[in-house]
């Protein structure tokens, strides 16, 4: 379906590939703020080295909750500090600040409160078993934040500056909140960008706020249990559509999904598995990507495959965990075509598995289950990590995932080692060690 151009602008600029093109030419500068003035001096960029820190006085620091504190399930607990940086279209980025975590002041007219000019990231900072503080591939989250801001007309920024700010906040608060002698604790990092201009007109906001805070979350991964229960979405609802913005982590994707998610919880399911279109194309589950391990039919070779939705249609989020699962599986699991299988011996004893990113349907999963070819399913994401799927409710039937989870378990162990610095994965390049002595 092609739509007519609006006001001479190319509508394709709204698609994922359009944003990719825009990023090539605009980022990391302030993406076409004003193009009418003849070569204006460049506006100040976001610059982490200008960070101004105002620390909370020792007497006012919050008590650290124990990991078993039941209030943590409410996910309301922040650490002591937060980072903010303001942008406006005439003066660019101002110096970022680190100060006490506190409510924001926003005009009731603020763009984000009306027009969903809001996007975010979700990451974790881990206190490793070797005492080090680590982020997991954080540059990917910062680049994705830039894609999301660009999609909703919020300003661009150099992603590496956001990473420096994230590291600064972690270095400030992790000493107390993730003590070095308590390995295995983590904090959830939430960078968010808001359109803050106080003007009711429907237009590109001329003011924005980048805000980063750390939250204390309970452990959400249902890893050791029998697995999570998914409810496949009804034919009359979709989370995202081609040409839309499902690929961006914008708030506008989440509010409208909460009615379905609430209903799933009431009916005893953990998440919605979002399908797309009449054929029931499998996309992702809640705020996690989705994988299956199945065997192809004998007529198609009877080989094992690890399958997940491809990104081409732009209806699935490009998860950092998803990407990492794919890369690890290709590198560490014996592949059906490669001869250099099992280099480190980690995946030894496992049958070769082919990693496939493609469009696949719920009926294909149902057929595989019915024919005894479905082995495993799991969801992947920062919040739930790698969680095995026990069953999927689809058109009145429960599709039970029978497998023992050997591939799920293998991939989860590799990622756990990288994130928490253990089992020989301490030096892996995906683990970003935060220098706790250096704030910026
Ligand atoms: C955040 C998110 C994911 C997971 O992405 P990660 O980078 O792995 O945390 C998957 N799907 C959706 C819709 C998300 O919002």
């Amino acid at each position: 379906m092609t739509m007519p151009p609006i006001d001479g602008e190319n509508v394709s600029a709204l698609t994922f590939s359009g944003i990719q093109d825009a990023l090539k030419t605009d980022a990391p500068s302030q993406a076409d703020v004003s193009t009418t003035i003849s070569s204006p001096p460049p506006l100040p960029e976001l610059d982490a080295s200008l960070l101004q820190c105002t620390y909370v006085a020792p007497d006012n620091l919050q008590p650290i909750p124990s990991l078993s504190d039941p209030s943590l399930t409410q996910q309301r607990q922040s650490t002591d500090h937060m980072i903010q940086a303001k942008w406006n279209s005439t003066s660019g980025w101002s110096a970022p600040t680190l100060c006490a975590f506190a409510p924001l002041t926003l005009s009731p007219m603020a763009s984000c409160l009306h027009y969903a000019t809001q996007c975010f990231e979700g990451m974790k900072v881990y206190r490793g078993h070797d005492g080090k503080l680590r982020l997991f591939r954080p540059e990917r989250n910062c680049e994705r934040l830039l894609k999301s801001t660009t999609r909703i007309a919020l300003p661009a920024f150099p992603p590496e500056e956001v990473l420096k700010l994230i590291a600064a906040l972690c270095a400030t608060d992790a000493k107390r909140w993730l003590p070095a002698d308590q390995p295995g604790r983590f904090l959830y990092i939430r960078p968010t960008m808001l359109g803050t201009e106080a003007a009711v007109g429907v237009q590109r906001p001329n003011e924005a706020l980048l805000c980063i805070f750390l939250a204390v979350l309970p452990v959400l991964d249902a890893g050791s249990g029998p697995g999570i229960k998914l409810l496949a979405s009804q034919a009359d609802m979709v989370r995202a559509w081609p040409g839309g913005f499902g690929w961006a982590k914008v708030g506008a994707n989440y509010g409208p999904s909460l009615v379905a998610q609430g209903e799933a919880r009431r009916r005893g399911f953990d998440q919605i598995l979002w399908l797309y279109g009449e054929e029931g194309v499998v996309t992702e589950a809640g705020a996690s990507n989705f994988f299956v391990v199945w065997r192809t039919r004998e007529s198609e070779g009877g080989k094992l495959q690890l399958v997940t939705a491809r990104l081409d249609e732009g209806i699935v989020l490009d998860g950092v965990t998803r990407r990492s699962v794919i890369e690890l599986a290709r590198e560490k699991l014996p592949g059906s075509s490669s001869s250099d299988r099992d280099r480190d011996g980690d995946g030894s004893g496992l049958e070769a598995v082919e990693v496939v990113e493609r469009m696949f349907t719920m009926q294909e999963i149902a057929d595989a289950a019915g024919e005894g070819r479905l082995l495993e399913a799991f969801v992947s994401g920062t919040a739930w990590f790698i969680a095995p799927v026990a069953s999927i409710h689809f058109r009145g039937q429960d599709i039970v995932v029978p497998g023992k989870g050997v591939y799920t378990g293998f991939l989860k162990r590799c990622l756990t080692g990288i994130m928490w610095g253990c089992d020989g994965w301490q030096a892996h390049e995906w683990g970003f060690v935060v220098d706790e002595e250096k704030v910026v």
Side-chain angles (χ1 to χ4, degrees):
M1 186 181 66
T2 38
M3 303 207 339
I6 297 169
D7 290 344
E9 243 185 67
N10 190 346
V11 176
S12 75
L14 296 181
T15 65
F16 182 59
S17 52
I19 296 289
Q20 297 283 58
D21 285 347
L23 286 173
K24 268 182 225 139
T25 51
D26 295 328
S29 72
Q30 283 82 12
D32 69 79
V33 169
S34 164
T35 47
T36 48
I37 316 158
S38 58
S39 56
L43 294 172
E45 278 292 9
L46 180 66
D47 182 350
S49 71
L50 303 177
L51 185 66
Q52 298 166 351
C53 300
T54 313
Y55 297 107
V56 175
D59 288 350
N60 294 334
L61 293 168
Q62 305 175 64
I64 311 284
S66 85
L67 280 184
S68 54
D69 189 329
S71 73
L72 289 186
T73 56
Q74 293 176 14
Q75 310 191 8
R76 288 160 178 249
Q77 177 76 53
S78 76
T79 62
D80 296 301
H81 297 93
M82 65 179 184
I83 282 183
Q84 285 174 274
K86 290 184 177 155
W87 171 88
N88 90 42
S89 62
T90 50
S91 53
W93 284 101
S94 56
T97 60
L98 182 150
C99 61
F101 180 90
L104 304 174
T105 308
L106 281 181
S107 163
M109 289 189 183
S111 168
C112 62
L113 298 178
H114 305 273
Y115 308 125
T117 48
Q118 186 276 347
C119 62
F120 62 97
E121 269 304 320
M123 312 156 70
K124 283 177 179 168
V125 53
Y126 307 86
R127 176 61 73 188
H129 294 280
D130 55 358
K132 289 187 180 160
L133 197 62
R134 280 187 184 76
L135 306 172
F136 181 74
R137 309 185 84 179
E139 61 289 342
R140 294 210 152 239
N141 295 87
C142 297
E143 283 159 18
R144 191 169 66 190
L145 183 67
L146 175 59
K147 288 182 188 141
S148 300
T149 60
T150 307
R151 178 63 182 83
I152 51 173
L154 291 179
F157 51 84
E160 61 278 13
E161 297 304 307
V162 171
L163 176 50
K164 287 181 204 159
L165 293 174
I166 289 169
L169 183 60
C170 292
T172 304
D173 275 351
K175 284 187 200 74
R176 238 166 56 78
W177 291 83
L178 301 178
D181 59 359
Q182 290 182 33
R185 290 190 76 143
F186 72 93
L187 293 166
Y188 183 77
I189 308 169
R190 173 52 61 87
T192 177
M193 181 107 73
L194 310 170
T196 49
E197 187 179 9
V200 285
V202 183
Q203 61 179 15
R204 257 188 117 104
N206 286 298
E207 289 169 29
L209 175 71
L210 168 71
C211 180
I212 308 169
F213 64 86
L214 306 176
V216 188
L217 296 192
V219 177
L220 286 178
D221 95 76
S224 48
I228 60 171
K229 291 167 72 181
L230 299 179
L231 174 63
S233 62
Q234 306 286 332
D236 62 355
M237 55 179 179
V238 292
R239 188 195 89 93
W241 48 91
F245 42 88
W247 52 267
K249 227 170 164 76
V250 296
N253 278 325
Y254 301 84
S257 74
L258 299 181
V259 175
Q261 194 225 33
E263 191 192 318
R265 294 268 161 92
R266 248 192 333 276
R267 291 174 57 189
F269 299 97
D270 295 286
Q271 284 294 343
I272 296 277
L273 178 62
W274 291 100
L275 308 183
Y276 176 77
E278 277 166 27
E279 318 89 273
V281 170
V282 178
T283 65
E284 53 184 328
S288 303
N289 295 106
F290 176 81
F291 287 81
V292 287
V293 180
W294 66 27
R295 189 178 295 287
T296 61
R297 292 198 173 99
E298 281 307 319
S299 57
E300 290 148 15
K303 58 190 172 189
L304 280 189
Q305 290 182 331
L306 173 68
V307 188
T308 194
R310 62 181 198 177
L311 303 175
D312 305 37
E313 286 73 26
I315 58 176
V316 171
L317 193 93
D318 183 359
V320 179
T321 324
R322 172 191 180 280
R323 177 71 36 215
S324 305
V325 162
I326 291 171
E327 290 172 15
L328 273 176
R330 290 209 169 114
E331 183 172 333
K332 298 288 176 196
L333 285 170
S336 55
S337 54
S338 66
S339 51
D340 60 342
R341 50 192 61 173
D342 219 359
R343 254 165 282 169
D344 307 83
D346 297 316
S348 62
L350 292 182
E351 185 181 336
V353 63
E354 184 186 12
V355 182
V356 186
E357 295 173 76
R358 73 158 166 97
M359 210 187 250
F360 64 108
T361 66
M362 199 57 223
Q363 192 57 49
E364 287 181 83
I365 298 181
D367 290 348
E371 294 162 20
R373 296 183 288 107
L374 180 64
L375 277 86
E376 301 181 21
F378 62 91
V379 300
S380 78
T382 299
W384 289 58
F385 190 31
I386 304 287
V389 173
S391 64
I392 308 167
H393 191 81
F394 171 59
R395 296 192 185 151
Q397 279 183 342
D398 275 318
I399 298 172
V400 175
V401 183
K404 295 197 189 71
V406 283
Y407 292 91
T408 309
F410 173 78
L411 293 163
K412 187 170 176 173
R413 278 194 301 281
C414 298
L415 289 170
T416 302
I418 300 170
M419 290 163 176
W420 301 96
C422 52
D423 301 331
W425 294 93
Q426 287 83 338
H428 196 278
E429 58 182 4
W430 293 350
F432 176 100
V433 176
V434 177
D435 181 353
E436 293 177 76
E437 299 315 314
K438 180 168 153 269
V439 167
V440 272

